Amino acid sequence: MCGILIHIKKEGFSKKDLNTALESLSIINHRGPDGDGLILINSNNGDFRYINSGNVPSHIHCSNLNDKELGGYNILMGHKRLSIFDLSANGFQPMICKKTGNIIVYNGEIYNWKDIRKELISKGYTFSSETDTEVILAAYDYWGEECFKRFNGMWALAIFDKVSGNIILSGDRFAVKPLFYSEINNEVLFVSEIKQFLVYRNHIRGYNTKLINYFLKEGLINFNEETFFSGIYRFPSSEISLLLTRELKLSFKKYYTLNTDQIKLSEEDAIQKFRYLLNDAVELRLAADVPVGVAVSGGLDSSSIFAIAYNQLKGQGKERFLNTFSVIAKKEEGDESQYIEALLKDYNCKKNFVSIIDDFSIDDLKQHLYMHDFPTVSASFYADYCLSRLIKRCNTTVVLNGQGADEVFAGYHHHFYKYAVSLFKQLKFKLYKEQVNAFNEIKGFDESKVKSAVRSELIIHLKSLFGKHITDDYGCARRWIESKSLNEQMKMDFLEATIPNYLASNDRNTMTFSLESRHPFMDYRIVEFGFSLPDHLKIDKGFQKVLIRKAMHELPDSIRWRKDKMGFTTPEKKLMKKISEENLINKSLVENIGIKFKEDFKYYSLAIWLEKYK
């Protein structure tokens, strides 16, 4: 996991530009404390020069250029390295392909790089390192842009193509890894984190108050390409961008589209396929040349990841080296300690815990939101921050988590309501009543609660059929509410409503402490498989994520058939009360941008964010 910077200027660079680039890279030192590199490129003739960035391997020759010499270069590419594979200097970036002269800066992991490497070796390629970066360069040389379809992983990268003189940029299928860009006058800038723009003041053109208000109203963020700053954009998922360096023209095209068409599959076959895919996804993500751990919440998803990871390492005699990490809140709102203890009591591994209440301080929360780059919807994101710090303290560099299962296998309450509506619309009244009654019994809900939710869904559906849509500035909330099927709503959750926000948060929280977070349930093969399943293999007899429950027979029944749905909950009310009573934030910062402050965590979060980004 790393951080990158790509700066393209028509008129060339100056010493001041180099110093600004170095400062921008230093801001994200947390993303790559193991090395840094800076290279200047002339797109007209492919000439390049490495610049001494302070932490460069001895075999890299660095140049000292004056302003006149710098003016001949129009591309600057920078990199901060977090070493995961091949901890030697062979993994240094920017990396140059010996065969083609193409140059790459890259943030992420290609989990299937060893298989791709074997295939490329059979086609005559040779390699001098044990890194996925070198494999990407060779894959791009052999397959061109088609190579991105072959990658199973998470990435944000840029490749300077020496033949064309242009830059190819690519983000992974689901935007797990961040990339932001801005175009202004005669320059284009790409960075890993928005805070890098703080030293490029000419690219900051004010707050995007329309999006800020939408966040406060709907609780949605990262659902489109806009950010909280006007003119600064998120690189879209599943896309390739071609940057014509001479004209500074940027174009995008999709290389992947998530298919949500359902297939017919028996329950037994579905269980077998799910277990194969999840086992393979975990095995790929356990590979590293540094210590690996698992974040465990006590829920079904993270417990499944842990159980599979433990059994795989046990087969290698390495299970005792596996660390687990958990947030606990003893006797507080959201306490899941009993489930964590039930899961781990029979496993021979290192167990580590952190209490969000014990760790809390307002300065810590402020630092979390500065590193986060955005305000947050709830304190659960701060809990993830505290967990990441614990992982760092335990000298672990890679951590697996259960993110993505809820969105792919129907884990949220609103998924059940949408499923119930679909049964009603199909006139399956008997099955509808059976499922609703079972759900009420499992959750301990009053019968009227679910029926009221279903009735509201039906009314919205009927209104939308007659063109009476909900008013919505961006349309995301409207499309979510008016989605016509369970799969359609889950796809919204996965691509727009929840996953993009969780992934962005998890990236910043873990990278703050120089950690790499991996998500087995986000393996595109599992995602495609989950969306292909018929509804009854996701929800049955009132239980959600029913396929995972039936497949994970090694888990304790208290977790496997756990009835409550808590998510990554925290004692949020207690934290808000502490902040409010001690007058720890400047609420006028919110009022100053024309927004009336409310006693809601989103507003607290926004006030702190504005203080850091004012």
Side-chain angles (χ1 to χ4, degrees):
M1 207 58 56
C2 307
I4 60 179
L5 164 72
I6 305 102
H7 192 185
I8 304 96
K9 288 185 73 173
K10 265 191 175 181
E11 67 271 20
F13 295 101
S14 65
K15 284 279 190 180
K16 182 180 178 181
D17 290 321
L18 289 187
N19 290 332
T20 302
L22 289 171
E23 187 178 355
S24 179
L25 285 171
S26 71
I27 287 173
I28 56 164
N29 189 62
H30 51 277
R31 295 194 74 90
D34 299 327
D36 50 55
L38 194 65
I39 196 168
L40 286 164
I41 305 169
N42 184 326
S43 67
N44 294 307
N45 58 22
D47 182 34
F48 66 87
R49 293 287 186 275
Y50 280 110
I51 302 298
N52 190 352
S53 52
N55 193 6
V56 180
S58 58
H59 72 276
I60 300 295
H61 174 71
C62 295
S63 302
N64 291 312
L65 304 177
N66 58 42
D67 277 345
K68 185 177 180 181
E69 292 172 308
L70 285 170
Y73 298 93
N74 62 330
I75 300 173
L76 186 155
M77 299 174 79
H79 185 262
K80 299 291 294 187
R81 184 187 183 198
L82 177 63
S83 303
I84 302 296
F85 290 108
D86 193 342
L87 310 187
S88 74
N90 290 332
F92 174 77
Q93 294 186 49
M95 183 180 286
I96 301 172
C97 180
K98 294 176 182 177
K99 180 176 180 287
T100 64
N102 294 341
I103 303 172
I104 186 173
V105 286
Y106 156 56
N107 167 32
E109 294 290 349
I110 306 302
Y111 301 120
N112 63 335
W113 67 274
K114 291 185 178 181
D115 290 334
I116 295 173
R117 188 175 189 259
K118 288 178 183 177
E119 186 175 355
L120 289 167
I121 288 173
S122 73
K123 298 180 186 303
Y125 284 83
T126 59
F127 297 90
S128 57
S129 73
E130 293 292 324
T131 67
D132 53 344
T133 311
E134 191 179 12
V135 172
I136 293 171
L137 281 170
Y140 176 73
D141 176 53
Y142 189 79
W143 289 296
E145 294 176 1
E146 290 294 306
C147 71
F148 301 115
K149 297 178 182 178
R150 293 174 172 265
F151 297 159
N152 183 348
M154 51 184 182
W155 68 86
L157 61 84
I159 298 173
F160 168 69
D161 189 309
K162 187 175 181 179
V163 173
S164 69
N166 297 319
I167 295 176
I168 304 295
L169 298 112
S170 174
D172 62 62
R173 291 173 180 83
F174 309 128
V176 179
K177 289 295 102 187
L179 189 63
F180 300 90
Y181 69 96
S182 170
E183 302 173 80
I184 189 167
N185 298 329
N186 290 316
E187 59 182 287
V188 183
L189 188 65
F190 295 87
V191 296
S192 288
E193 296 187 9
I194 285 179
K195 61 181 67 66
Q196 290 175 261
F197 281 108
L198 294 177
V199 296
Y200 290 97
R201 289 292 181 176
N202 60 320
H203 284 265
I204 298 178
R205 285 156 277 182
Y207 296 121
N208 183 347
T209 53
K210 180 182 177 183
L211 189 66
I212 291 174
N213 274 294
Y214 196 72
F215 158 73
L216 294 172
K217 179 183 177 183
E218 304 291 351
L220 293 169
I221 196 169
N222 293 316
F223 59 88
N224 64 3
E225 276 70 65
E226 292 186 30
T227 70
F228 277 19
F229 290 107
S230 299
I232 295 176
Y233 299 96
R234 291 169 65 235
F235 194 92
S237 62
S238 305
E239 295 206 8
I240 303 166
S241 176
L242 173 64
L243 176 62
L244 301 177
T245 55
R246 296 172 185 86
E247 300 89 343
L248 286 188
K249 184 178 180 181
L250 195 60
S251 60
F252 293 89
K253 66 178 179 181
K254 271 201 173 293
Y255 67 87
Y256 173 82
T257 301
L258 176 60
N259 182 6
T260 59
D261 293 340
Q262 296 189 359
I263 61 172
K264 290 184 178 180
L265 198 66
S266 71
E267 183 179 285
E268 183 180 350
D269 288 344
I271 288 173
Q272 288 181 0
K273 185 170 183 179
F274 170 77
R275 284 193 65 90
Y276 165 76
L277 289 173
L278 189 58
N279 267 279
D280 194 58
V282 170
E283 184 177 6
L284 285 172
R285 286 157 181 79
L286 281 175
D289 295 335
V290 292
V292 180
V294 181
V296 174
S297 69
L300 178 66
D301 312 332
S302 64
S303 298
S304 298
I305 299 301
F306 166 74
I308 290 175
Y310 183 90
N311 288 332
Q312 288 184 3
L313 291 175
K314 187 176 182 180
Q316 305 168 32
K318 298 179 180 178
E319 74 277 9
R320 67 186 182 281
F321 299 115
L322 184 66
N323 275 287
T324 66
F325 306 95
S326 306
V327 174
I328 57 171
K330 289 283 188 179
K331 299 180 180 178
E332 297 282 354
E333 174 191 357
D335 181 23
E336 297 187 87
S337 302
Q338 60 175 316
Y339 298 105
I340 297 170
E341 291 166 2
L343 173 68
L344 299 178
K345 65 182 179 67
D346 295 325
Y347 288 96
N348 176 29
C349 61
K350 300 175 184 177
K351 310 167 184 68
N352 305 279
F353 305 93
V354 64
S355 166
I356 183 175
I357 292 295
D358 294 342
D359 266 30
F360 176 77
S361 74
I362 189 63
D363 288 338
D364 200 35
L365 182 61
K366 288 179 178 180
Q367 180 64 10
H368 154 62
L369 288 167
Y370 166 69
M371 299 303 289
H372 202 275
D373 279 339
F374 290 96
T376 60
V377 177
S378 74
S380 64
F381 299 102
Y382 175 65
D384 189 40
Y385 174 85
C386 294
L387 184 69
S388 298
R389 178 167 48 205
L390 170 69
I391 297 168
K392 180 66 174 181
R393 288 171 178 168
C394 295
N395 298 314
T396 298
T397 307
V398 172
V399 61
L400 277 60
N401 67 45
Q403 195 65 63
D406 283 319
E407 290 78 6
V408 176
F409 294 95
Y412 296 123
H413 287 170
H414 59 261
H415 292 155
F416 180 83
Y417 302 147
K418 190 65 70 173
Y419 171 62
V421 168
S422 70
L423 294 177
F424 198 93
K425 284 168 21 183
Q426 295 173 65
L427 308 181
K428 296 180 179 179
F429 300 125
K430 182 182 178 183
L431 183 57
Y432 161 79
K433 187 174 182 180
E434 289 173 353
Q435 294 287 356
V436 168
N437 289 341
F439 183 77
N440 281 330
E441 185 178 348
I442 289 167
K443 301 297 181 185
F445 290 164
D446 182 85
E447 183 178 348
S448 61
K449 179 175 181 176
V450 177
K451 289 185 176 179
S452 175
V454 173
R455 191 181 307 113
S456 297
E457 289 266 5
L458 284 169
I459 291 171
I460 291 168
H461 173 67
L462 290 172
K463 285 183 176 180
S464 68
L465 288 178
F466 291 98
K468 295 183 178 179
H469 297 292
I470 296 166
T471 302
D472 184 358
D473 287 343
Y474 283 96
C476 183
R478 177 180 65 80
R479 293 194 306 277
W480 187 86
I481 292 170
E482 295 181 357
S483 54
K484 297 177 176 61
S485 66
L486 172 60
N487 241 24
E488 189 176 316
Q489 188 172 76
M490 287 168 53
K491 187 176 181 180
M492 279 286 301
D493 282 336
F494 191 83
L495 297 179
E496 299 180 67
T498 58
I499 278 291
N501 197 16
Y502 291 148
L503 290 176
S505 172
N506 186 241
D507 172 84
R508 303 311 184 283
N509 287 334
T510 51
M511 289 308 304
T512 293
F513 301 101
S514 306
L515 308 174
E516 175 169 299
S517 184
R518 298 176 174 179
H519 319 82
F521 279 110
M522 294 292 297
D523 188 303
Y524 76 96
R525 299 169 301 167
I526 292 178
V527 174
E528 290 175 350
F529 170 70
F531 276 107
S532 76
L533 294 174
D535 291 354
H536 73 271
L537 290 179
K538 298 167 188 168
I539 300 175
D540 189 34
K541 296 182 175 61
F543 279 103
Q544 297 167 262
K545 294 187 291 192
V546 68
L547 183 71
I548 303 178
R549 297 176 190 271
K550 291 181 177 180
M552 295 304 299
H553 51 75
E554 56 266 69
L555 295 179
D557 281 350
S558 60
I559 292 175
R560 192 179 173 199
W561 298 105
R562 184 176 167 181
K563 296 179 179 180
D564 61 330
K565 171 63 183 170
M566 299 179 73
F568 203 2
T569 52
T570 56
E572 187 172 288
K573 291 179 182 178
K574 192 170 184 177
L575 294 182
M576 284 180 59
K577 184 178 179 183
K578 180 179 176 66
I579 294 170
S580 182
E581 287 177 348
E582 298 183 25
N583 196 27
L584 296 173
I585 60 171
N586 185 356
K587 300 177 182 179
S588 66
L589 291 172
V590 176
E591 306 278 355
N592 289 343
I593 62 170
I595 297 172
K596 185 176 180 180
F597 191 88
K598 295 180 182 179
E599 293 298 321
D600 180 279
F601 189 87
K602 293 191 294 295
Y603 288 80
Y604 281 72
S605 176
L606 176 61
I608 294 170
W609 180 84
L610 286 169
E611 181 180 338
K612 288 291 185 178
Y613 283 89
K614 63 188 176 183

